[in-house]
Amino acid sequence: MSRTPDAIYHGYEIFTVAVPADGGLWSATSEVEINAADGIEISQGFGGPCQGHTREEAKALAIADAKQKIDDLLALP
């Protein structure tokens, strides 16, 4: 079964999962995949949890968090 990423950033495929949280909020996390020399590398629980008022807002925040973490990884010497 193949999945469609919610975003692709610097070659990393970002997937998000959002679930309802307390107080009518939504909570989202992300995982990333990248094709590396040794095959597909998967980082589960990469970003989040991020809370938003809507499912879409929580997912957008998790994607932004993942992108920042990817930038941090790429900045390491």
Side-chain angles (χ1 to χ4, degrees):
M1 177 167 100
S2 66
R3 303 183 296 170
T4 302
D6 294 300
I8 299 175
Y9 188 68
H10 293 298
Y12 289 83
E13 294 182 341
I14 303 171
F15 301 89
T16 59
V17 175
V19 295
D22 292 336
L25 298 174
W26 285 80
S27 181
T29 58
S30 67
E31 72 177 38
V32 296
E33 292 182 7
I34 189 164
N35 286 318
D38 295 329
I40 296 177
E41 293 182 11
I42 300 172
S43 296
Q44 294 179 328
F46 188 77
C50 299
Q51 290 194 334
H53 293 284
T54 64
R55 179 178 183 266
E56 293 76 18
E57 179 183 18
K59 289 178 77 165
L61 291 169
I63 290 169
D65 184 46
K67 287 179 177 181
Q68 180 61 55
K69 289 179 178 177
I70 291 167
D71 286 342
D72 292 346
L73 284 174
L74 296 175
L76 293 176

